[in-house]
Amino acid sequence: MFTYKSIHLIGMISTTIPINENLRLGALKSLDILDTQSEKEFDDITALAAYICETEISLISLVDTDRQWFKSKYGLSVCETPRAVSFCAHAILDPENIMIVEDARKDERFCKNPLTETEKLVIFYAGVPLIDKDGFALGTLCVIDSKPKKLSEKQLQSLKSLANQVVLLFELNKKNNDLEKIQNKLKKRNESLREFARVISHDLKMPLANIITTTDLLKLILENNLDKESLQYFEYIKTSSFAMSSYISDVLDHYESSSLVHNKPESFSLNEQLQEIVNLLSIKPDFTINFPENDPILVTNKLALKQIFFNLIGNSIKYNDKEQIIVSIETSEDEKYYYFRITDNGMGIPNDKLATIFDLFTTANTIDRSGNKGNGIGLSTVQKLIQNLGGTIEVTSQEKIKTTFDFSIKKT
């Protein structure tokens, strides 16, 4: 392993600055790769380059403002050297060609270079410019030896191919970095929306509850002094207030659903959980629900699954125009997933609405059993939960006959 000691710059020929230097440096810094940790993908390339070219050193060198920094280094311990003594700074001046120096001691550009004159490290050098998609030479993939050397045509072609792979890795890293930045922005935005939903829920639900209570009180007090039409207006106020309260609750559930997926897996009976949901929904006698016959024991996110079934069963009841509501639930599993199917005998979903039924705030324009229109939040929340649990959901439907939801959850 070689190391560099102090470097003196007296008497050597300095490099020329490329005419597009500012743009080139901007392209380099946009990669967000300078001063990052070593990565196996890059280290494999430098090791392979040194092996193919039979050299002591191989580097992925990026030419910065006043230094050359090594993203990967084979056979060398330092992470950077001054640009003033850099062979790579010369190589990027001719981006179309490999720069080959067979014996630096005989080259007027480098014979006084301290890396050649003092250390006797860089005698042979071959560097392939790393050209980005906009044509900027960011640095080189280079091989170095402490004795004069020649490369065969096959070795040169291999070095070019490896350099192309370095550029592809740069682009892939940049795309990954950009995606990570977008994800962080989306995460912050979702956190803000969740907090907004929480505040709205708290600040609006209490006034709505007061409106509902006051409406009932006024209706009771004024009942003997109001005609039928006036009393109906009070009922409209109460119904609208309940609808708004339900809408606010659904919005809050949607934005809080992300936190449910962080719950630890639990072992529980699916049928017992389904019975809890039926009890919460205050099911009337005109409702029949068929639980899975095998009563499976699941090991998964209990609260998230409960929210999913609560929404789906609730929809099966709300959007049902039959005298006797029937909902059937089936389940199966394999090594990786739990599978669930919930089928009802309800109104069904129009074919032209099936593709968008899970979109937020999108409804099938169907009036529910009580004459109210949905808000398009519940099924979007269900899909979000299922996807966060590593599964998928699909819907099939026949209008006026039945609707079936099939979904899966990945085992943990």
Side-chain angles (χ1 to χ4, degrees), residues 354-371:
L354 288 174
T356 60
I357 198 69
F358 296 108
D359 294 347
L360 186 61
F361 303 124
T362 299
T363 67
N365 296 322
T366 303
I367 302 301
D368 69 19
R369 194 176 182 86
S370 302

Side-chain angles (χ1 to χ4, degrees), residues 206-222 226 234 237-238 241:
M206 185 58 70
L208 282 171
N210 290 337
I211 290 173
I212 293 169
T213 303
T214 303
T215 300
D216 283 339
L217 182 60
L218 286 173
K219 185 178 177 182
L220 181 64
I221 294 173
L222 301 174
L226 297 175
F234 277 103
I237 293 172
K238 183 177 179 181
S241 298

Side-chain angles (χ1 to χ4, degrees), residues 306-349:
K306 186 175 184 178
Q307 184 68 45
I308 292 166
F309 271 115
F310 186 87
N311 276 280
L312 292 178
I313 294 174
N315 276 358
S316 293
I317 297 170
K318 285 172 62 178
Y319 298 102
N320 199 305
D321 54 356
K322 308 300 188 299
E323 289 187 10
Q324 185 67 30
I325 301 171
I326 301 174
V327 175
S328 298
I329 298 171
E330 303 170 64
T331 182
S332 61
E333 63 180 280
D334 58 25
E335 293 182 357
K336 294 184 178 180
Y337 291 91
Y338 293 115
Y339 300 96
F340 306 94
R341 170 173 290 176
I342 175 169
T343 302
D344 64 58
N345 65 335
M347 303 173 185
I349 302 169

Side-chain angles (χ1 to χ4, degrees), residues 145-209:
D145 210 281
S146 61
K147 57 184 178 295
K149 189 175 184 64
K150 289 185 178 182
L151 295 181
S152 68
E153 188 60 32
K154 285 186 177 180
Q155 288 173 319
L156 291 173
Q157 288 302 320
S158 297
L159 199 59
K160 286 181 180 180
S161 297
L162 290 173
N164 291 336
Q165 294 305 307
V166 173
V167 174
L168 289 175
L169 282 175
F170 283 163
E171 292 175 357
L172 183 60
N173 267 17
K174 180 168 173 35
K175 288 178 181 178
N176 288 339
N177 289 338
D178 290 343
L179 284 174
E180 188 174 346
K181 289 177 182 177
I182 292 171
Q183 287 175 341
N184 288 335
K185 287 181 180 179
L186 288 174
K187 183 179 179 182
K188 290 180 180 179
R189 182 184 178 191
N190 285 336
E191 288 173 353
S192 297
L193 287 172
R194 187 162 55 249
E195 179 62 18
F196 175 75
R198 187 192 66 77
V199 171
I200 289 296
S201 174
H202 179 271
D203 291 351
L204 292 185
K205 274 201 159 187
M206 185 58 70
L208 282 171

